Amino acid sequence: MQALLSLHDVTKRYGALTVTDAMSLDVTSGTTLGILGPNGAGKTTLFNLISGDVRPDSGRILLEGRDITSTSPHRRCRLGVGRSYQIPHPFAGMTVFENLLVAATFGAGKSENDAYAPCLEILRQTGLWPRANQRAGSLTLLDRKRLELARALATEPVLLLLDEVAGGLTQHEALELVALVRAIKTRGMTIIWIEHVVHALLAVADRLMVLNFGARLAEGEPSAIMADPDVRRVYLGLGS
Ligand SMILES: Nc1ncnc2c1ncn2[C@@H]1O[C@H](COP(=O)(O)OP(=O)(O)O)[C@@H](O)[C@H]1O
Ligand SMILES: [Mg+2]
């Protein structure tokens, strides 16, 4: 079966620093890949490479078999790469609903009329319905995280990239977000989720990949990865 997303030998350097080191990766349609790794491991850079915010120095990126290595971020969004950002950046002065309309019109290329119904549906799905007319800048952290997810959904992705959406939340809030991501997954979405909150990843991911210095330290079935002595030493700071 063809992977929804494939990276072939993708390398990105900043000066002397190799941040993504000949990374190859396949993500199967309908699955969730969780990514763990210490700060500075190159996790967000990997998303920047997939979304097109950053161009690789070498290597190829394919979405549904199509080479998107040189495709603009805007065009990749239209092709179905949807992402959240580690630091949410909604239009603070606009309402929650207006933020979704912008994502649906500019991101998915819908007319405002056509954007209306799907954006209402996303408000319901993400629990933001009661906040629809509230300015994004006045939301609580949990609702800002929900909005970040909702904006990504409004671009109608086939591949959803989530960058630390559970970070900074209380345990209870993180569980709410986990339930939301699970519900999105259940509807068939392909997801890559970068997260430090390990229990959140374990609740959703089919596979885990651990990044360290821009390269794969381990990848596989979540319970096997969590039991891996190298992973425990490098990532969890535990002796083996
Ligand atoms: N635009 C940039 N210019 C220079 N260095 C960068 C840039 N973006 C990221 N880096 C460096 O690349 C490394 C990986 O960063 P990042 O991908 O954000 O890691 P992570 O998300 O795993 O914490 C870090 O050392 C970071 O300082
Ligand atoms: Mg990061």
Side-chain angles (χ1 to χ4, degrees):
M1 190 169 140
Q2 179 187 291
L4 182 81
L5 176 79
S6 291
L7 273 63
H8 297 292
D9 266 335
V10 172
T11 293
K12 175 64 195 171
R13 295 184 196 88
Y14 287 112
L17 191 66
T18 302
V19 179
T20 306
D21 193 1
M23 173 60 66
S24 293
L25 176 67
D26 279 329
V27 182
T28 305
S29 186
T31 65
T32 298
L33 173 70
I35 299 182
L36 287 165
N39 280 326
K43 303 180 299 297
T44 296
T45 300
L46 195 63
F47 274 9
N48 288 336
L49 289 162
I50 297 168
S51 67
D53 292 297
V54 158
R55 293 292 166 88
D57 295 306
S58 58
R60 293 196 310 139
I61 302 172
L62 280 76
L63 183 72
E64 296 179 307
R66 173 205 291 245
D67 192 322
I68 58 165
T69 316
S70 307
T71 305
S72 72
H74 181 67
R75 180 89 195 114
R76 288 190 211 193
C77 184
R78 291 275 167 101
L79 291 173
V81 180
R83 78 174 288 187
S84 76
Y85 286 85
Q86 192 170 352
I87 299 161
H89 52 199
F91 298 104
M94 289 186 185
T95 68
V96 166
F97 190 58
E98 286 165 347
N99 266 279
L100 296 193
L101 286 179
V102 169
T105 50
F106 288 92
K110 289 186 176 313
S111 71
E112 199 168 320
N113 264 346
D114 289 346
Y116 230 78
C119 287
L120 289 174
E121 182 54 34
I122 291 167
L123 281 177
R124 285 197 194 89
Q125 278 172 17
T126 55
L128 284 171
W129 184 259
R131 306 274 168 267
N133 297 317
Q134 197 170 317
R135 284 195 317 114
S138 69
L139 295 174
T140 63
L141 181 63
L142 176 60
D143 283 338
R144 266 185 289 154
K145 301 274 186 175
R146 285 194 175 116
L147 177 57
E148 193 61 17
L149 233 160
R151 291 168 77 222
L153 288 177
T155 67
E156 300 199 328
V158 294
L159 172 66
L160 184 61
L161 308 175
L162 303 177
D163 197 351
E164 298 198 22
V165 283
L169 297 177
T170 65
Q171 172 92 358
H172 180 75
E173 290 171 334
L175 288 176
E176 284 196 36
L177 211 76
V178 164
L180 178 54
V181 177
R182 281 181 78 113
I184 293 165
K185 175 192 163 131
T186 303
R187 288 193 289 273
M189 184 70 73
T190 309
I191 301 171
I192 309 180
W193 188 1
I194 294 170
E195 194 57 78
H196 281 302
V197 183
V198 175
H199 72 80
L201 275 193
L202 291 176
V204 182
D206 302 296
R207 296 179 70 74
L208 285 185
M209 176 166 80
V210 182
L211 274 186
N212 200 24
F213 299 112
R216 173 190 285 97
L217 181 72
E219 181 181 350
E221 198 267 319
S223 58
I225 294 303
M226 297 315 292
D228 183 304
D230 284 339
V231 171
R232 294 173 71 80
R233 192 176 62 249
V234 171
Y235 182 69
L236 302 171
L238 304 171
S240 51

